[in-house]
Amino acid sequence: MDAITFAISAPDKKLMFKSLLLVAATLFLLPPRVVCGDDAFDTRSSNTPSSKNGATLQSSPGPRDASEIRDASEIQNASEIQNASEILDADDIAAASSWASGTGDWLGPLAPLALSPFFGVTLLSGLAIWGPDWISNNQLVGAAGPLENPWLFGIFLGLTLLTSLPRLTKVSKPFAQAVDRLEAYAVIIILLVIKVMSSVESSDPETVAMLSQPVVQLGVVSFTFDTLLAVAMAINILVVNSVKFFFEFLVWLAPIPFLDAVFEVCNKSLCAALMAVYAFSPTIATVVNLLILFFAALIFRWVSRRVRFYRTMILDPILSRAWAGYGIPKRPELILFPQNAFGPFPAKGRLRLSRQGDALSLFQSRWWSTSPPHGLPAAARLSMRRGWIMHTLIIEVDGTESPFKFSRRYADAELVKLLDQLGIQAESADPEPQADRKAAFA
């Protein structure tokens, strides 16, 4: 017989009808060629395989055999899909692991570099030269990196001594603090150069492709992960370094001779300890760095206002004597720092006092914008009190006096002209210079 005959176990017509429907559905759903075990047959061919003796093969798969064939096909397809997904997941996991490891290599040493930039680079160079073998996979201090250079180690060791020894005494410490921010900027530039070199020379194409894909789109401008990581590194170092500089400056103001040396030794010891943690585990060092950055960011604005206040009071008289044009007012305004919070302005915020028509107004100076003017009441009384370190402007409103500090940037003759333009009466001398001297930096 050319047609395939089926043996039906029960003569019931309903069962036979269901069996035919099941076979038809199975033939429709199966792929053109299905392999089950060692036997194979083609569902699109009308000719069936023959036995070795030439007799016609009379198949009797029945509903149960068709179900088994369909289950085998589904299992095979599901297995192929699962294998493909496992391969994809393995690739993604490998790329993500490489990305996370590389990020830890760059973020881990930022805290010690912010505490002592030149000393931190010296330690990194030492790790690259004499570090253990397992640190060779590190992207920053790995083998054949720019930090693995004895000359670089010697140069930064000399710079560390040159910038650290003056910090041990109060007389020489201002010279070291004057270049503190330049030291931080120099280390940021060095890290960015190393980052660019490592990205160009990276041998992992998947990681390079991931880092080069844009992750932030602002109109027509897009930023890659490498760019965002470089910006984050610079911000991290500047924030932690600014907070460190503030406490270092407070130690310099304290009238205890050996306190500066103790602070410098503790700072270098903390830097070395954090770098040791980084050598042991960049991941743990990254977590510690993020914790330090978090607490530093909480007080950063408070610290930055006071750092700007101290720098203005100390550097303005020096710059005005070194550069004559700096001591001449360019416009009729006065830079003030409120000793306490005044209106919408925080304590030690940098303000500008200028005349707007017939009234005086205060503006808060920011590097990106200027705050709305805060006009002083017409009944406000302003008077100036001279000091040895800085001058004080008293603004009295409704019987309440609010002191504002401003630097000795202008000479007496230029200051009198400026105060006349603002309508402020200047006192000829400070009746209590000692009291002003004690409360100058409060």
Side-chain angles (χ1 to χ4, degrees), residues 109-125 147 152-153 155-157 159-161 163-164 167 176 179-191 194 236-238 240-242 244-245 248 264 267-268 271-272 275:
L110 295 185
L113 287 174
L115 294 176
S116 184
F118 287 160
F119 183 58
V121 175
T122 304
L123 294 178
L124 286 177
S125 181
L147 291 175
L152 184 69
F153 175 81
I155 291 173
F156 276 95
L157 181 60
L159 291 175
T160 300
L161 296 175
T163 56
S164 299
R167 300 175 188 269
V179 298
D180 185 81
R181 186 50 62 93
L182 296 178
E183 184 179 350
Y185 287 146
V187 170
I188 290 174
I189 294 175
I190 292 172
L191 282 180
I194 297 175
N236 191 334
I237 292 178
L238 291 178
V240 178
N241 182 264
S242 298
K244 187 268 302 185
F245 176 85
E248 189 175 16
E264 184 62 18
N267 183 52
K268 290 293 189 291
C271 177
M275 200 63 73

Side-chain angles (χ1 to χ4, degrees), residues 89-103 206-207 210:
D89 292 342
D91 294 340
D92 292 342
I93 291 174
S97 177
S98 176
W99 165 80
S101 176
T103 304
E206 295 181 357
T207 305
M210 176 183 293

Side-chain angles (χ1 to χ4, degrees), residues 64-371:
R64 181 179 177 182
D65 294 340
S67 300
E68 291 177 355
I69 295 174
R70 183 181 62 182
D71 293 341
S73 175
E74 292 177 354
I75 291 173
Q76 183 180 3
N77 294 335
S79 177
E80 294 177 355
I81 296 174
Q82 183 177 2
N83 293 334
S85 63
E86 288 178 355
I87 295 174
L88 181 62
D89 292 342
D91 294 340
D92 292 342
I93 291 174
S97 177
S98 176
W99 165 80
S101 176
T103 304
D105 293 344
W106 292 104
L107 296 182
L110 295 185
L113 287 174
L115 294 176
S116 184
F118 287 160
F119 183 58
V121 175
T122 304
L123 294 178
L124 286 177
S125 181
L127 284 176
I129 298 173
W130 300 291
D133 295 336
W134 50 265
I135 208 172
S136 59
N137 295 326
N138 192 295
Q139 295 186 11
L140 180 58
V141 296
L147 291 175
E148 193 179 3
N149 190 326
W151 285 101
L152 184 69
F153 175 81
I155 291 173
F156 276 95
L157 181 60
L159 291 175
T160 300
L161 296 175
L162 186 63
T163 56
S164 299
L165 293 178
R167 300 175 188 269
L168 301 179
T169 63
K170 292 187 180 296
V171 177
S172 58
K173 191 172 184 177
F175 299 99
Q177 288 186 320
V179 298
D180 185 81
R181 186 50 62 93
L182 296 178
E183 184 179 350
Y185 287 146
V187 170
I188 290 174
I189 294 175
I190 292 172
L191 282 180
L192 295 182
V193 170
I194 297 175
K195 183 73 178 71
V196 172
M197 292 174 61
S198 66
S199 299
V200 172
E201 298 174 358
S202 178
S203 59
D204 188 358
E206 295 181 357
T207 305
V208 172
M210 176 183 293
L211 297 179
S212 61
Q213 290 180 356
V215 295
V216 176
Q217 187 77 30
L218 299 177
V220 296
V221 181
S222 62
F223 299 95
T224 63
F225 179 81
D226 260 350
T227 304
L228 294 180
L229 182 59
V231 173
M233 291 166 56
I235 294 176
N236 191 334
I237 292 178
L238 291 178
V239 169
V240 178
N241 182 264
S242 298
V243 175
K244 187 268 302 185
F245 176 85
F246 171 72
F247 288 104
E248 189 175 16
F249 187 83
L250 291 182
V251 169
W252 179 69
L253 292 178
I256 303 176
F258 63 88
L259 191 59
D260 298 87
V262 173
F263 182 87
E264 184 62 18
V265 171
C266 293
N267 183 52
K268 290 293 189 291
S269 301
L270 180 60
C271 177
L274 292 175
M275 200 63 73
V277 174
Y278 173 71
F280 174 74
S281 174
T283 303
I284 298 177
T286 301
V287 174
V288 175
N289 171 60
L290 294 179
L291 289 176
I292 295 175
L293 177 62
F294 173 75
F295 289 109
L298 291 179
I299 61 174
F300 176 72
R301 295 185 63 184
W302 183 87
V303 165
S304 62
R305 290 194 297 265
R306 281 151 180 82
V307 169
R308 181 183 296 178
F309 167 73
Y310 294 140
R311 283 178 174 172
T312 302
M313 298 305 159
I314 294 175
L315 295 180
D316 272 4
I318 299 175
L319 294 178
S320 63
R321 285 166 176 76
W323 179 29
Y326 189 76
I328 299 176
K330 301 298 186 296
R331 57 181 66 89
E333 65 179 22
L334 191 63
I335 304 299
L336 302 174
F337 293 86
Q339 186 168 335
N340 304 305
F342 181 82
F345 307 118
K348 298 296 188 295
R350 189 174 184 270
L351 308 179
R352 292 189 294 112
L353 177 66
S354 62
R355 181 171 291 278
Q356 304 290 326
D358 296 333
L360 291 173
S361 299
L362 288 171
F363 303 84
Q364 186 170 13
S365 300
R366 305 187 184 98
W367 65 271
W368 69 89
S369 65
T370 303
S371 65

